[in-house]
Amino acid sequence: MRLLVTGGAGFIGSHYVRTLLGPGYPGCENTRVTVLDLLTYAGNRGNIPAAHPLLEFVEGDVCDRSLLRELLPGHDAVVHFAAESHVDRSLDSADPFVRTNAGGTQTLMSACLEAGVERVVHVSTDEVYGSIARGSWTEASPLLPNSPYAASKAASDLLARSYHRSFGLDVSITRCTNNYGPYQHPEKLIPLFITNLLEGLELPLYGDGRNVRDWLHVDDHCRAIQLVLMRGSAGEVYNVGGGSEQSNLAVTGELLRLCGADRSLVRHVADRAGHDRRYSLDDTRIREELGYTPRVDFATGLAETVAWYHGHTDWWKEAKHRAR
Ligand code: NAD
């Protein structure tokens, strides 16, 4: 198989590519991978092997139709991770989110159709459903996004779906909960707090800290994507959960414990605009149809993640520097 991975130099995409080349996905040992990544502040070429016989890296934009026309022929499948991914940035300026997430996805779906790509997985998020006080969203729940980031991802999901419904493109959509693990950009909650603790800085906690997220280890998420790529149905959505709902306060407390720091470092800051209170997914479909189950329990995964940041100071210092 020949696979194109967009956004493969970012957090989740690079984990997927490293695992695939590992080789960590049975049956895909000889898969040739092309990574297409614009290397924005969030992308890092060093996140994937510098040289590998099965890997080709192309620096470029998913919004660039002529590049996609040149690149896609000969590829059997595409996994689409590329996106602007940080909610706070979308509150400052939504333009790049609409451009890349909505526009880039449409350009990519259209180019896949033109090139006769046989299988596409579009990676999305639970944030498209918005906040839920009790219970869990299923794949049939309405899309009620509350941030420009979530709205741009909802738009991308609907565009991907439309390329299946209108033109028969074989595309599945995954919607996962909050990921954590190594190589996550230190602008996101868990790595921000870990790296601040390593630097002796305060932890800026939004509002009362009682917002709840279901944490999913990046390795479990990527395994779910691989299952959907190999066995998912065209036009279907698959929710992917981690089975570990935690308030931001609880996560903060655990990080303080793991880093041997005390609560005096926590600084409550004004809440994020439109901050969703709770996300929760019902992921029965992927569990029952594709046999998915998360393997990494949160306590173990978080401790390993703290250890990884502890051992990769140059990586996260450079990422923080590049993002400024
Ligand atoms: P990330 O920000 O770490 O990586 C995004 C990558 O996309 C970067 O390498 C960046 O350079 C690249 N990119 C951005 N714009 C591009 C463009 N126009 N053309 C080509 N490449 C471009 O993001 P992530 O956390 O790895 O998220 C990957 C996907 O998973 C995204 O689609 C995101 O919406 C989704 N997702 C993430 C989470 C999470 O918790 N991180 C949760 C749910 C869904």
Side-chain angles (χ1 to χ4, degrees):
M1 178 162 69
R2 194 157 170 225
L3 181 66
L4 181 95
V5 178
T6 74
F11 163 47
I12 305 171
S14 73
H15 188 93
Y16 179 79
V17 170
R18 289 192 307 274
T19 310
L20 186 65
L21 295 174
Y25 297 129
C28 289
E29 289 77 5
N30 298 316
T31 298
R32 286 191 292 154
V33 189
T34 307
V35 168
L36 171 65
D37 197 296
L38 188 57
L39 297 182
T40 67
Y41 78 94
N44 183 340
R45 178 64 185 84
N47 289 354
I48 50 176
H52 190 286
L54 294 173
L55 174 68
E56 185 190 346
F57 179 80
V58 176
E59 184 174 344
D61 193 337
V62 284
C63 304
D64 184 342
R65 183 177 295 273
S66 41
L67 172 64
L68 291 174
R69 276 199 176 126
E70 214 178 285
L71 205 57
L72 275 170
H75 288 86
D76 306 294
V78 170
V79 181
H80 179 36
F81 292 95
E84 288 290 338
S85 68
H86 191 36
V87 174
D88 287 353
R89 285 176 182 264
S90 79
L91 299 170
D92 290 340
S93 169
D95 296 5
F97 288 76
V98 174
R99 179 187 177 277
T100 290
N101 300 1
T105 299
Q106 185 273 322
T107 306
L108 180 67
M109 296 302 134
S110 148
C112 284
L113 193 67
E114 207 177 290
V117 173
E118 287 165 19
R119 181 87 185 107
V120 182
V121 175
H122 169 59
V123 178
S124 190
T125 168
D126 59 355
E127 302 200 23
V128 298
Y129 297 117
S131 197
I132 185 166
R134 280 174 302 283
S136 303
W137 300 120
T138 72
E139 290 84 353
S141 299
L143 302 190
L144 298 167
N146 290 317
S147 70
Y149 161 68
S152 67
K153 291 296 292 187
S156 70
D157 290 17
L158 297 179
L159 285 160
R161 175 190 147 89
S162 77
Y163 273 80
H164 170 68
R165 302 287 289 196
S166 298
F167 309 114
L169 184 70
D170 187 337
V171 53
S172 301
I173 297 162
T174 60
R175 295 187 183 135
C176 68
T177 57
N178 275 47
N179 282 219
Y180 72 101
Y183 293 93
Q184 186 169 30
H185 194 283
E187 68 187 356
K188 306 282 169 45
L189 182 103
I190 286 180
L192 174 69
F193 280 16
I194 296 172
T195 56
N196 277 13
L197 287 169
L198 293 177
E199 291 189 286
L201 302 174
E202 288 183 329
L203 309 184
L205 188 62
Y206 280 133
D208 62 8
R210 296 193 189 280
N211 307 70
V212 171
R213 301 292 183 260
D214 169 24
W215 291 97
L216 169 66
H217 194 273
V218 65
D219 194 59
D220 284 327
H221 180 204
C222 288
R223 205 161 31 78
I225 289 168
Q226 183 63 13
L227 282 172
V228 172
L229 175 70
M230 302 312 283
R231 306 212 323 265
S233 302
E236 294 294 339
V237 176
Y238 295 87
N239 286 346
V240 185
S244 180
E245 285 191 30
Q246 309 272 342
S247 70
N248 287 347
L249 263 181
V251 172
T252 305
E254 192 54 15
L255 291 175
L256 288 168
R257 193 187 67 74
L258 287 165
C259 295
D262 68 68
R263 287 208 171 262
S264 62
L265 281 172
V266 177
R267 184 167 51 90
H268 286 269
V269 296
D271 209 355
R272 168 194 270 171
H275 202 178
D276 287 326
R277 195 66 171 167
R278 175 171 174 262
Y279 296 134
S280 181
L281 290 183
D282 177 338
D283 62 359
T284 307
R285 171 178 284 165
I286 191 168
R287 287 175 187 256
E288 289 189 351
E289 289 180 18
L290 304 182
Y292 164 77
T293 179
R295 289 180 186 158
V296 184
D297 89 281
F298 186 63
T300 310
L302 197 64
E304 286 171 3
T305 303
V306 169
W308 188 87
Y309 282 90
H310 205 70
H312 290 79
T313 311
D314 289 350
W315 185 91
W316 58 259
K317 284 206 163 159
E318 203 241 318
K320 276 192 174 181
H321 178 73
R322 234 174 332 116
R324 277 189 201 118

